[in-house]
Amino acid sequence: MQTVQKIVHDRVTPSNPKTMSIDCGGIVSTIAQNRDGSQVVVGGRTVFKIFNVDDEGFEEKHNLRVGKHVNLNYCAADIAWNHIDDNIIATGATNGAVVIWDLNKLSRCKQEHVFQEHKRTINRVSFHDTEHRCLLSASQDGSMKLFDLRKKEVGLSFSMGNISIRDVQFGPSNLSYFNFAAADENGNLMIWDMRRNERCERQFPAHSGPVFSVNWHPEDRTLFATAGRDKTIKVWDLVKQKCLHTIYSIASVARIKWRPQRRYHIASCSLLVDCSINIWDVRRPYVPFATFDNHKDVTTSIIFKNKDPYVMLSGSKDSLLYQHVFRDAKRPGEELVPAGVDVSVHGLVGHANSNKQGKLNTNLDSGGLMAGLLHKKSTDRHDHFVDVAPYMQVFLDTGQVVPIEELSWMVESAKRYLLTGKSIEELCKHNAQVSLSLNRGQVAQSWFILSTLFCTNQCDIKPQHPNRTTSVSVSRHVDKSENDKNKSNKEVTVDTDDKTVDDGTSGNSDDEIDDKELDSRLSNIARGQINPDWDIFFGDGEPGSFDLRAMNNFTANNKEEWILPSEAFHPRHEILDREALSYTFPHGGTDPHAHLAMENELSTSVVTSPNVDQSSNEVLTTDMRLVQCPDWEYVNIVTDMLKNFASEGDVQTPVCMLIVLQDKIRPYIDVELEEDWFLSYIDLLGRFRLWTIANYVIKLSNLPQISMLNQQSTTIHVNCNTCTRPLHRSSWLCDRCKTITNHCCICHLPVKGLFLWCQGCSHGGHLQHVKDWFSRNAECPTGCGHICEYA
Amino acid sequence: MEGLMDGVYRDEASLRFLHPVANRDRNVRKHAFDAIVKTVETWLTGYATPFNSLESISSVNGIGGNIAIGKLQERVPDFLRLLVECPFKDLRDKTKCLLDDLKKKGKSKGLKIPKRLNNVSFFIPENKIISVDTKDEQTQMLFIDAFIQNNRLDHITQVMGYHPHYLDCFLRTQQYLLRGDGPLPYHYRHYIAIMAAGRHQCSYLVNLHTQEFILAGGDPSWLSGLHTIPQKLRDLYEINKILAHRPWLISKDHIAKLTKGKDNWSVSELVHALILLSHFHALSSFVYGCGITPEVDHEGGYTYSGKSSPSNSNSASKHSSPSSSFSESGGDLGIDVLMERMKKLTESDEINDMTSEELLQQFENVENQSAEITASANIPTPRKDVLKFVVEPDFVYQDFAKRGTPCDIPSFRAQEYSWEDHGFSMANRYYSEIGTLLDDKFTCAYNLTYYTLGDKMNVDTTMFRRAVWNYIHCMYGIRHDDYNYAEVNQMLERNLKAYIKTVTCYPERLTKKEYDSVMREFKHSEKVHVNLMLLEARLQGELLYSLRAVMQHMT
């Protein structure tokens, strides 16, 4: 910008023009300048004067509105000054007369000749650039006439019906000598050849509604501008008849003029409402490049003084004739802080702004993501808006770069999050690490907070730091139960329990699972009548620690489920689990508390002897609540946090947190909302083809509505591998072929349950057999030579 | 038992009674009508259950037998309207059956079956009016459109049916003004229409929009007069008054007053209101200019008493009163003379030789001549039910030439503020799309021609049309620089000028005699055409003044 302005001053004309004005004594409807821009003629209903344009101010030179009969011919609707002969002026009057004025005439009245060819108001008169005897007029009656000033007669008449012609202009003589452009009230633009009047060379619709002004670009023959009532200025490529740029003004545009020596600048003034003159850069269609707002009423006519790009003359309805200088112009574009904000589909916000002119800062609020800024340098030196295009491109770039990463964190987190199987603290910390490694600081921090909030109690045990709530609960429980147990004692038992379970899981075998299931089932059945001895745990005044222990127990207890490499086992186990669940519901109620109670029971039943009555069960539930409400109500904050995550479009985090925190905050969140989150997350996982994880989440959801999802359509339809008929009766016998479809290739007996086969060689057999085989061998048991991969 | 008693208006349920039948789908119409027939039967037999929940049970049962009959009686004129002016034949047939049925069964219950009083127009004989089931497809489609939009095929639409191109523009614009997107609430729009029509005591439009006002959910208490309406609406009255009669008096101060203070109008609301006012002022002119009769189901549209209609005789007597300006012996230009003059004017360009003073003189001549023409002296006594919407009924048109201070109010230069350039942009700016609609309508009205004049074919009527248009603008002080006002005198003879002036400025005074005495060789459709031009030219004139004031206020 700085450099450009320097150029500006270098090119200024020797004299130093200044902003100045003069009252013409009547509404100015049109102005025109002589060849060298030293004089300007002003026309209007009550005014017709010539002013000298001096450095110091305007000076009235002639008043042409003199004579015996001042009639409507003196009321110029438009004025043109001959480009060659400095003494000839042509005016078009509202009554349809085209009048030629000769300033050399000796009499006071300079009226030279009146053409009365037009029936209606003249909208425009235009001299040819070099053929100084050629005058063109456009009238409301729908015709254009080419006058020959020497013969004082109409050379040719051009007409296209009776649609009013609003503007006409000869092309620049160096570019298109014989052409002129005309625009009519229906919005059509026409290009004529002045030698042929039968029809125009080209015609195409340019605007909706009347076109008020047309302007040839002074230097580029293809560029052409039109403006109209539809409030737009359009720049056309005349050859291709294509609209290159559209500028949206706030009001109907009355006049336009290209700025000399500038390829992309065009000046405009409005027909009404807006009094200012705007100079636009066509590439920046919403903010004017420069504005002159000196006039108090609408500007009716604008010209660049003597093709000088820095000085403008304008006439207005406020009777003033103004000379504007560019250095006094307002630059709306500069007053704006170029700033942009955009939100990508993935919720990323990118914004760019400049602290000082020209210097760009680009930031992306996306968890530390920074996108490279593409800064294009325009080659055009006169271009005042070099830095505009790059603004836009910043956003385009981020829009393209970010999504890939965006997807990856979601997928990555889904894969790497641990949802269960460890203590809450460990899970939280692990997940926090995962988030951190994926540059998601906020989420990581949230996980850390969770781990702190929900796991500190565990540490509290040793430093003997029971909080208030705990003590209250202690007293209550002391009242309620006779049994008061030693704290350390309890801890020991729990710990051992933990260990045994861990040992058990490490084996990781089918049989063990079955055992566990059997155990839990048994315990569940047992619980129908007898409850474990809760008092032992609750009497000691440390319910918090108990709870966590119990939780650990529970999770450890089920650990093998999470670690199991193949999902082949899940359905069977799941179903059993469900059975147990539904079994307990009638007993313990339907809410998560009951469920938790049951799970506690699962773990504790191993070590404790069941001998407790119904009332203790109630104690348990109350205690759970107490546990969840420590002295300050952070639970609400946590729920708010989860909701916030969800509302920001990240359902993954709240869902995972819900799972990890088990039932700690579940009761505080609307079940429907939870379902909503789960469903969205599961859906999202499905889109990324993370079916396994989705299933996993379903299983951990603990919501009947969600769990149902993988209980539906669990049937697998099998076709016979020889006749491809569906197998109806059983999965291993084809009724049609009368053959057993699947033999185990190790024991050669039909496989009636799960069949494991290699996708490479399609051999397989009983799950256990195949597993055993591959623990010792690498090749296929059939001897086909395929190195099967068992994972 | 006239349907409309003073201050008592039919409620919304009653007005909506027949609305379900206004549907394009034949089956829907059938079912809707069957439902109506059923309701009518239950009312007739007295075993009525409320037609809708709005009507409490007590009003129907018990002694309510009479109330049910009363309800039915109130709705019977609607059936009559359906019978005569529904564009769907199936509905007309069904209605006929129903009415016959009602006649038979209802007699014992004291149910009276009304008769239609008038044709569509006082001026145009029934057989010359475009019938509701016209064979012209475009017109028929427009009639159906109008019927579905307004739940009736009003007389205005039917008369405009001569000029389907124009009718199309008109219906679109009116629909947009009254029911389209706009800044004003719907009931306001209809109330403004009532206020505007009130200036010319046009009871036709007042009745029509009283109903629409109730249908739009307006407060019926507003209908008891201007003193009951919100201050905001009442503020508009001053501008309504000026705009209707002397639009040149409108200044930006009026606009400023309305847009400031408490309960002020926003500029877009005001522009909407101004357009509504102008539209209905001009439409009042058309209603009188074509002698449009009251709607069949409105007061004065039907009668229960025998064959002779009091209203007819009334109007007849009204029409018999002679008017001062209309010379009995005509002076009416024959079409041949008119064509001759047009030809002559086209050939010679008188305007060329005249100076601006001469031209101005011409303009003032026409203006002054116009002032000399006294419009019909017959000043009807305003009706009471309309008068409550009128303040200062004696504020009427005053000739522009006789305005008090010519220097303060110069003539309006059409070149300085034209509809195409300024008015359009101004209107569209504050009330989007209306500009385009009005523009289409103006262009259509201005350029509408069938190249016929009476029996003659292939006539270029441009000169005549331009003369009419510019004469109306001239009466409002709007001057076109590029028009030679001497042409007006050539084209329009004195009677026609008087007619134009009466219809434009004092439409309520027009009589059938005046209508008949001008343009004798013109067809009725051509006379309607002239009236359309009066409507549009007047509308444009009012809009130019009011929108210019808005612009001056804004800049």
Side-chain angles (χ1 to χ4, degrees):
Chain A
M1 188 62 70
Q2 297 297 324
T3 55
V4 177
Q5 275 196 335
K6 207 169 265 169
I7 299 167
V8 167
H9 290 298
D10 289 344
R11 289 183 161 207
V12 163
T13 40
S15 69
N16 193 17
K18 59 169 194 175
T19 302
M20 57 193 186
S21 67
I22 192 168
D23 191 331
C24 307
I27 290 175
V28 179
S29 50
T30 179
I31 60 173
Q33 63 181 344
N34 68 347
R35 195 175 46 186
D36 58 4
S38 61
Q39 291 176 15
V40 60
V41 59
V42 170
R45 181 162 289 279
T46 56
V47 57
F48 192 19
K49 291 174 182 171
I50 293 177
F51 292 94
N52 273 334
V53 188
D54 300 330
D55 283 354
E56 293 309 307
F58 293 104
E59 185 197 341
E60 186 175 327
K61 196 185 166 205
H62 282 299
N63 187 357
L64 296 171
R65 204 178 158 79
V66 288
K68 273 181 238 158
H69 299 289
V70 176
N71 57 20
L72 275 178
N73 291 350
Y74 289 77
C75 304
D78 194 46
I79 301 183
W81 204 313
N82 199 308
H83 300 293
I84 308 295
D85 186 343
D86 234 4
N87 294 315
I88 302 290
I89 293 175
T91 63
T94 49
N95 62 357
V98 175
V99 189
I100 309 297
W101 310 79
D102 187 351
L103 301 180
N104 273 343
K105 256 186 129 177
L106 292 173
S107 64
R108 266 178 78 227
C109 175
K110 308 286 185 193
Q111 189 167 320
E112 162 88 8
H113 187 77
V114 180
F115 294 101
Q116 290 282 12
E117 261 70 25
H118 284 292
K119 297 271 180 301
R120 306 283 303 270
T121 302
I122 307 290
N123 287 320
R124 198 71 84 229
V125 283
S126 170
F127 274 112
H128 194 271
D129 266 3
T130 46
E131 299 275 329
H132 68 283
R133 293 295 178 183
C134 281
L135 176 70
L136 194 61
S137 67
S139 162
Q140 196 79 13
D141 63 13
S143 68
M144 292 161 282
K145 293 188 195 291
L146 185 67
F147 299 98
D148 189 322
L149 299 192
R150 284 166 299 193
K151 293 185 202 160
K152 299 216 176 358
E153 65 177 37
V154 178
L156 281 172
S157 184
F158 308 85
S159 177
M160 291 282 280
N162 53 2
I163 302 146
S164 163
I165 307 290
R166 302 308 291 254
D167 196 5
V168 71
Q169 196 198 8
F170 277 112
S173 55
N174 52 339
L175 303 174
S176 47
Y177 195 88
F178 294 110
N179 284 344
F180 67 89
D184 70 18
E185 200 157 75
N186 288 358
N188 290 319
L189 177 65
M190 295 170 279
I191 306 294
W192 293 79
D193 187 310
M194 61 188 271
R195 296 160 297 187
R196 297 176 58 205
N197 70 342
E198 53 271 33
R199 60 189 168 88
C200 61
E201 285 191 340
R202 265 167 292 168
Q203 181 184 21
F204 57 95
H207 288 266
S208 60
V211 181
F212 289 142
S213 186
V214 297
N215 204 227
W216 294 84
H217 195 281
E219 283 116 32
D220 186 337
R221 66 171 297 163
T222 54
L223 284 184
F224 188 84
T226 58
R229 194 173 70 180
D230 58 2
K231 302 180 191 175
T232 58
I233 300 167
K234 291 184 180 176
V235 178
W236 301 87
D237 181 327
L238 271 190
V239 180
K240 294 178 188 144
Q241 298 191 5
K242 205 175 87 187
C243 181
L244 300 174
H245 303 279
T246 306
I247 295 167
Y248 300 92
S249 172
I250 59 161
S252 304
V253 185
R255 296 271 188 130
I256 47 172
K257 280 276 188 305
W258 286 99
R259 191 175 171 200
Q261 300 166 35
R262 293 290 180 280
R263 187 177 158 83
Y264 292 112
H265 286 186
I266 190 162
S268 77
C269 61
S270 303
L271 191 65
L272 69 175
V273 182
D274 182 15
C275 309
S276 53
I277 302 164
N278 296 318
I279 293 95
W280 305 83
D281 184 299
V282 293
R283 292 157 303 173
R284 193 176 188 184
Y286 300 102
V287 184
F289 161 71
T291 301
F292 298 111
D293 54 1
N294 309 54
H295 284 297
K296 296 285 170 285
D297 204 339
V298 289
T299 312
T300 48
S301 189
I302 47 174
I303 42 176
F304 282 94
K305 189 188 167 199
N306 194 23
K307 302 198 172 151
D308 180 343
Y310 307 107
V311 185
M312 284 193 85
L313 296 168
S314 72
S316 156
K317 277 196 178 171
D318 60 6
S319 313
L320 294 179
L321 172 67
Y322 248 101
Q323 173 170 286
H324 309 276
V325 186
F326 258 71
R327 64 165 182 273
D328 296 333
K330 287 199 176 151
R331 308 285 180 112
E334 281 174 25
E335 282 164 25
L336 302 175
V337 178
V341 180
D342 201 6
V343 185
S344 79
V345 283
H346 303 287
L348 276 183
V349 177
H351 67 87
N353 66 313
S354 71
N355 42 9
K356 286 271 162 64
Q357 287 172 0
K359 193 164 184 251
L360 271 177
N361 281 349
T362 315
N363 291 315
L364 282 165
D365 291 344
S366 57
L369 268 184
M370 289 291 283
L373 164 65
L374 195 76
H375 205 292
K376 254 194 199 164
K377 277 283 178 211
S378 169
T379 47
D380 190 347
R381 288 187 152 249
H382 309 305
D383 194 342
H384 287 228
F385 283 100
V386 231
D387 44 353
V388 175
Y391 289 141
M392 310 305 290
Q393 271 167 349
V394 169
F395 300 108
L396 287 177
D397 286 345
T398 58
Q400 285 156 0
V401 172
V402 169
I404 303 151
E405 311 220 1
E406 181 87 9
L407 304 185
S408 74
W409 66 253
M410 148 86 201
V411 175
E412 235 3 73
S413 325
K415 282 184 185 158
R416 285 162 60 188
Y417 273 166
L418 281 185
L419 298 182
T420 181
K422 287 183 180 168
S423 74
I424 293 184
E425 191 180 10
E426 281 176 87
L427 291 174
C428 289
K429 287 196 169 144
H430 175 267
N431 293 344
Q433 291 302 333
V434 171
S435 315
L436 210 54
S437 69
L438 293 168
N439 278 332
R440 303 178 71 216
Q442 196 194 351
V443 178
Q445 203 56 45
S446 309
W447 282 112
F448 278 129
I449 290 165
L450 287 187
S451 83
T452 313
L453 283 178
F454 288 94
C455 301
T456 41
N457 287 345
Q458 202 172 9
C459 318
D460 283 347
I461 300 162
K462 273 162 209 158
Q464 301 275 340
H465 185 246
N467 53 33
R468 205 163 44 111
T469 339
T470 335
S471 58
V472 170
S473 66
V474 168
S475 58
R476 276 184 65 199
H477 291 298
V478 169
D479 290 343
K480 280 203 176 180
S481 57
E482 298 93 273
N483 273 341
D484 198 353
K485 274 233 167 181
N486 189 345
K487 189 200 302 175
S488 57
N489 185 14
K490 185 222 75 184
E491 213 166 26
V492 171
T493 53
V494 172
D495 276 343
T496 47
D497 179 33
D498 222 347
K499 271 170 198 158
T500 50
V501 174
D502 272 338
D503 288 344
T505 51
S506 58
N508 199 11
S509 71
D510 255 351
D511 298 339
E512 274 163 19
I513 291 168
D514 287 345
D515 285 348
K516 287 288 175 221
E517 279 160 6
L518 200 62
D519 275 356
S520 33
R521 237 189 317 178
L522 283 174
S523 67
N524 280 322
I525 293 161
R527 206 177 42 92
Q529 268 77 34
I530 341 150
N531 279 306
D533 188 2
W534 300 109
D535 303 31
I536 297 169
F537 297 100
F538 289 103
D540 62 12
E542 206 40 82
S545 74
F546 155 71
D547 180 54
L548 286 161
R549 292 287 146 173
M551 203 68 70
N552 284 349
N553 281 342
F554 160 64
T555 50
N557 196 6
N558 290 340
K559 203 170 193 171
E560 62 270 41
E561 283 179 19
W562 324 135
I563 302 167
L564 270 181
S566 160
E567 58 183 307
F569 293 88
H570 290 186
R572 211 172 147 220
H573 184 96
E574 181 80 6
I575 288 158
L576 286 174
D577 200 23
R578 286 285 297 174
E579 276 169 2
L581 246 174
S582 55
Y583 185 74
T584 55
F585 275 164
H587 173 75
T590 51
D591 55 348
H593 297 284
H595 188 55
L596 182 64
M598 186 270 290
E599 275 155 359
N600 283 329
E601 189 185 333
L602 286 182
S603 57
T604 51
S605 59
V606 183
V607 271
T608 54
S609 59
N611 63 349
V612 168
D613 58 352
Q614 187 66 33
S615 66
S616 64
N617 203 2
E618 289 163 15
V619 173
L620 168 73
T621 32
T622 37
D623 258 327
M624 295 316 280
R625 287 208 186 88
L626 284 167
V627 167
Q628 285 147 2
C629 304
D631 46 353
W632 60 289
E633 296 190 336
Y634 62 78
V635 181
N636 289 338
I637 298 168
V638 173
T639 50
D640 283 349
M641 178 180 82
L642 294 197
K643 284 175 183 167
N644 188 40
F645 272 121
S647 68
E648 282 173 359
D650 176 12
V651 282
Q652 182 181 44
T653 312
V655 166
C656 293
M657 284 178 176
L658 271 181
I659 295 174
V660 166
L661 293 178
Q662 304 281 353
D663 294 307
K664 290 228 188 312
I665 48 169
R666 282 278 178 92
Y668 301 94
I669 295 177
D670 195 19
V671 180
E672 283 173 17
L673 189 64
E674 271 181 58
E675 281 173 7
D676 225 27
W677 292 351
F678 269 97
L679 285 174
S680 322
Y681 185 44
I682 289 162
D683 185 47
L684 205 56
L685 289 171
R687 306 241 166 170
F688 289 109
R689 297 163 184 257
L690 300 168
W691 317 109
T692 323
I693 296 166
N695 210 29
Y696 189 53
V697 171
I698 292 173
K699 203 169 90 173
L700 291 173
S701 67
N702 263 342
L703 293 164
Q705 287 296 321
I706 305 295
S707 310
M708 262 172 51
L709 285 176
N710 62 6
Q711 303 299 316
Q712 292 163 346
S713 71
T714 51
T715 320
I716 299 170
H717 298 280
V718 191
N719 286 8
C720 172
N721 55 10
T722 46
C723 66
T724 69
R725 281 292 186 88
L727 301 175
H728 293 294
R729 207 165 49 167
S730 68
S731 66
W732 49 275
L733 180 71
C734 176
D735 285 335
R736 193 156 172 263
C737 318
K738 305 284 185 231
T739 54
I740 293 163
T741 52
N742 302 314
H743 290 282
C744 172
C745 56
I746 291 167
C747 67
H748 295 284
L749 291 172
V751 183
K752 300 186 179 179
L754 289 166
F755 184 82
L756 184 73
W757 79 97
C758 167
Q759 291 183 333
C761 63
S762 61
H763 295 118
H766 288 109
L767 180 69
Q768 196 55 47
H769 293 155
V770 174
K771 260 172 127 178
D772 285 349
W773 175 266
F774 283 110
S775 64
R776 285 172 277 118
N777 304 293
E779 285 189 22
C780 178
T782 55
C784 71
H786 186 255
I787 314 273
C788 302
E789 213 173 313
Y790 174 73
Chain B
M1 187 161 150
E2 287 287 307
L4 197 145
M5 282 180 296
D6 191 41
V8 182
Y9 293 95
R10 291 171 61 180
D11 62 2
E12 199 183 327
S14 167
L15 292 172
R16 282 200 195 284
F17 190 57
L18 285 182
H19 282 196
V21 300
N23 196 297
R24 260 176 231 283
D25 188 328
R26 201 189 168 93
N27 276 324
V28 175
R29 289 202 299 266
K30 183 172 174 291
H31 289 303
F33 200 83
D34 288 348
I36 288 166
V37 168
K38 262 190 199 128
T39 315
V40 168
E41 269 168 16
T42 52
W43 282 342
L44 207 57
T45 48
Y47 304 120
T49 48
F51 183 55
N52 63 36
S53 55
L54 288 174
E55 300 167 32
S56 64
I57 295 169
S58 65
S59 71
V60 183
N61 286 340
I63 48 164
N66 287 331
I67 294 170
I69 294 292
K71 276 177 179 306
L72 187 53
Q73 186 69 66
E74 189 180 66
R75 288 157 171 80
V76 168
D78 288 341
F79 289 113
L80 186 66
R81 166 173 61 81
L82 213 54
L83 177 67
V84 292
E85 59 184 32
C86 173
F88 296 113
K89 185 163 190 309
D90 51 332
L91 277 187
R92 288 198 303 272
D93 294 345
K94 276 175 183 290
T95 316
K96 188 161 168 42
C97 294
L98 179 69
L99 277 175
D100 290 345
D101 208 32
L102 281 179
K103 209 171 201 170
K104 270 182 255 159
K105 290 184 187 163
K107 206 157 195 181
S108 56
K109 308 268 184 181
L111 186 73
K112 292 182 286 182
I113 303 298
K115 284 196 190 66
R116 188 183 177 194
L117 254 183
N118 309 301
N119 296 333
V120 172
S121 161
F122 288 121
F123 300 164
I124 308 166
E126 183 76 15
N127 55 2
K128 292 279 168 44
I129 293 274
I130 305 283
S131 78
V132 290
D133 50 353
T134 169
K135 295 287 175 288
D136 183 303
E137 206 165 293
Q138 193 190 0
T139 316
Q140 178 68 11
M141 288 312 292
L142 288 168
F143 280 178
I144 290 174
D145 282 348
F147 183 73
I148 282 158
Q149 276 171 17
N150 308 320
N151 294 300
R152 63 166 72 236
L153 175 60
D154 50 22
H155 290 171
I156 295 180
T157 309
Q158 222 178 323
V159 171
M160 285 182 185
Y162 284 123
H163 308 286
H165 286 291
Y166 174 81
L167 181 58
D168 188 23
C169 300
F170 177 83
L171 286 177
R172 259 189 292 136
T173 312
Q174 184 166 270
Q175 176 76 1
Y176 186 74
L177 272 176
L178 292 173
R179 302 193 183 87
D181 295 338
L184 286 175
Y186 295 112
H187 61 286
Y188 264 52
R189 307 183 191 185
H190 293 292
Y191 203 87
I192 290 171
I194 295 171
M195 283 163 60
R199 281 317 305 177
H200 291 302
Q201 289 112 45
C202 182
S203 57
Y204 174 86
L205 288 174
V206 170
N207 284 339
L208 203 59
H209 286 282
T210 304
Q211 282 199 356
E212 292 291 331
F213 173 76
I214 291 167
L215 286 173
D219 181 354
S221 70
W222 291 13
L223 294 173
S224 48
L226 291 172
H227 56 279
T228 55
I229 59 173
Q231 186 60 39
K232 182 174 170 177
L233 264 178
R234 220 174 318 155
D235 289 341
L236 193 68
Y237 201 80
E238 174 75 9
I239 219 164
N240 173 30
K241 187 184 77 181
I242 299 174
L243 199 57
H245 305 293
R246 299 171 202 172
W248 53 88
L249 293 177
I250 287 191
S251 69
K252 63 179 178 183
D253 300 333
H254 290 107
I255 308 292
K257 213 165 104 191
L258 285 171
T259 50
K260 286 203 182 79
K262 214 174 132 249
D263 265 359
N264 64 331
W265 290 77
S266 75
V267 178
S268 11
E269 281 175 334
L270 190 58
V271 168
H272 190 175
L274 287 172
I275 296 172
L276 275 171
L277 287 174
S278 315
H279 178 84
F280 283 100
H281 291 152
L283 197 56
S284 305
S285 282
F286 181 81
V287 167
Y288 284 108
C290 293
I292 296 205
T293 57
E295 288 287 301
V296 177
D297 55 336
H298 289 167
E299 192 189 355
Y302 61 92
T303 177
Y304 291 114
S305 56
K307 275 165 195 162
S308 71
S309 50
S311 150
N312 244 351
S313 59
N314 178 23
S315 62
S317 68
K318 188 172 105 184
H319 293 154
S320 63
S321 67
S323 59
S324 60
S325 204
F326 284 81
S327 48
E328 293 287 324
S329 57
D332 187 35
L333 284 183
I335 285 174
D336 294 322
V337 184
L338 195 62
M339 284 174 66
E340 180 72 23
R341 288 190 185 171
M342 283 203 281
K343 204 175 162 204
K344 215 169 82 191
L345 276 174
T346 322
E347 280 158 5
S348 74
D349 288 317
E350 267 184 67
I351 191 168
N352 300 352
D353 315 324
M354 278 186 286
T355 62
S356 118
E357 275 78 25
E358 284 164 353
L359 280 174
L360 191 66
Q361 196 61 48
Q362 291 284 359
F363 176 74
E364 276 163 9
N365 276 350
V366 174
E367 234 177 56
N368 289 328
Q369 281 165 18
S370 155
E372 284 161 24
I373 296 167
T374 46
S376 176
N378 150 51
I379 301 165
T381 42
R383 293 162 50 101
K384 196 178 159 212
D385 57 329
V386 175
L387 211 53
K388 64 193 172 191
F389 300 116
V390 185
V391 178
E392 291 184 61
D394 46 351
F395 184 92
V396 290
Y397 176 81
Q398 181 205 35
D399 292 296
F400 186 73
K402 289 182 187 164
R403 68 192 183 278
T405 43
C407 38
D408 291 350
I409 308 158
S411 60
F412 188 108
R413 307 283 191 157
Q415 260 69 22
E416 275 170 18
Y417 195 94
S418 69
W419 164 257
E420 288 81 10
D421 297 2
H422 306 83
F424 174 92
S425 308
M426 211 59 207
N428 242 14
R429 184 179 188 85
Y430 293 106
Y431 183 21
S432 59
E433 285 176 54
I434 195 66
T436 326
L437 288 168
L438 286 173
D439 206 29
D440 287 349
K441 194 152 72 93
F442 287 139
T443 318
C444 184
Y446 192 83
N447 293 329
L448 189 71
T449 181
Y450 307 98
Y451 302 104
T452 57
L453 202 58
D455 304 325
K456 304 278 193 304
M457 309 296 271
N458 296 321
V459 189
D460 182 6
T461 55
T462 317
M463 307 256 321
F464 180 73
R465 288 184 283 124
R466 212 172 148 205
V468 172
W469 191 278
N470 286 342
Y471 180 60
I472 294 160
H473 277 187
C474 169
M475 284 190 295
Y476 281 132
I478 299 170
R479 186 178 161 203
H480 296 259
D481 276 347
D482 51 359
Y483 187 68
N484 179 1
Y485 283 85
E487 281 183 24
V488 169
N489 286 339
Q490 299 276 314
M491 290 292 116
L492 314 174
E493 47 75 39
R494 196 178 163 82
N495 267 8
L496 184 53
K497 277 204 247 177
Y499 172 80
I500 291 174
K501 186 172 177 183
T502 310
V503 173
T504 311
C505 306
Y506 318 94
E508 62 276 12
R509 300 185 190 173
L510 190 80
T511 60
K512 185 169 192 305
K513 196 174 157 103
E514 287 159 341
Y515 176 84
D516 290 336
S517 69
V518 294
M519 302 182 278
R520 284 191 192 139
E521 290 175 48
F522 282 40
K523 291 180 189 152
H524 283 292
S525 76
E526 287 165 341
K527 288 189 173 185
V528 171
H529 184 176
V530 171
N531 274 306
L532 287 180
M533 293 188 55
L534 300 187
L535 187 167
E536 293 302 328
R538 176 172 184 197
L539 172 62
Q540 197 178 65
E542 289 188 17
L543 282 180
L544 283 178
Y545 275 112
S546 53
L547 290 175
R548 186 178 68 164
V550 173
M551 190 191 78
Q552 284 165 346
H553 169 70
M554 296 309 291
T555 47

